[in-house]
Amino acid sequence: MLKDVMFLVVVFLTNIIQGITGFAGTVLAMPPGIFLQGIDTAKMVLNILGILASLWIVSVSYKDINWKEVKKILFFMVIGTALGMKIFTLLPLEFLLKIYAILIILMALKGIFIKGEMKTPEWVLVGVILLAGVIHGMFVSGGPLIMIYVAKKLKSKSSFRATLAIVWIVLNTYLAFSHYNQGIFTSENLKLLYLSIPPFALGMIVGNILHHKMSQATFLKLSYILLSISGVALIAK
């Protein structure tokens, strides 16, 4: 019971960040979610909440979507996601979790300490999209990597958030069907999902208000700090 309550607190706090940035909620929630509920439950519940969060963002920011970038991102991320799902079934979970944790920490440190624009060739950016898809297929957490690409292409924070929301709706729906076929939609997991909806909704409301009222840069820095803590916790597990 205590673990369920703690999970609901995690859902509330991380969806505040999701409402602000449009990308960080699931990757922040996944490490503590794995600790508290196990990886299958965490993936299933957080994936569905990710779909709901993205539908919410699209409903309030539809006009800000950059459809050209949506098509490009989806083309490469679908390939990467399918590859990531396959890799997840082939390699040991503990090994994958360590790699995942190291990537989280590296992305967090980059966001905290590396300032300004870096020249990045287009082929490298495409590789970033593919790798983001791989991570998303394994852990429903491709947001921090795809953020590298989107930050280069979209300078408006509202376009940034709305464009990513469409990407997550498509990819997470694909993952949801896969999870259903794997038998992860158990009665216990569905019960936890239903319990998660109120704190999820409250977190999104708060996050959406803060998105419009406060500096995104401040909350991106907060996201990176939380990412680094999550990564360290996974390595120490």
Side-chain angles (χ1 to χ4, degrees), residues 111-124:
I112 293 170
F113 295 110
I114 298 179
K115 308 298 180 184
E117 288 289 324
M118 297 173 61
K119 288 187 177 180
T120 309
E122 192 67 23
W123 67 268
V124 173

Side-chain angles (χ1 to χ4, degrees), residues 49-118:
L49 293 179
I51 295 172
L52 296 177
S54 297
L55 288 170
W56 187 312
I57 290 170
V58 168
S59 71
V60 299
S61 304
Y62 183 84
K63 65 182 185 300
D64 296 311
I65 298 168
N66 185 315
W67 289 103
K68 178 182 177 182
E69 292 299 338
V70 166
K71 293 174 184 176
K72 182 176 181 180
I73 293 168
L74 281 176
F75 177 80
F76 291 106
M77 275 199 78
V78 165
I79 296 172
T81 298
L83 181 60
M85 292 168 67
K86 185 65 175 177
I87 292 172
F88 187 81
T89 65
L90 297 176
L91 296 179
L93 177 58
E94 287 300 317
F95 172 75
L96 292 174
L97 284 175
K98 299 304 182 188
I99 298 298
Y100 175 47
I102 291 169
L103 280 173
I104 287 176
I105 293 170
L106 289 176
M107 288 183 285
L109 292 176
K110 175 187 177 298
I112 293 170
F113 295 110
I114 298 179
K115 308 298 180 184
E117 288 289 324
M118 297 173 61

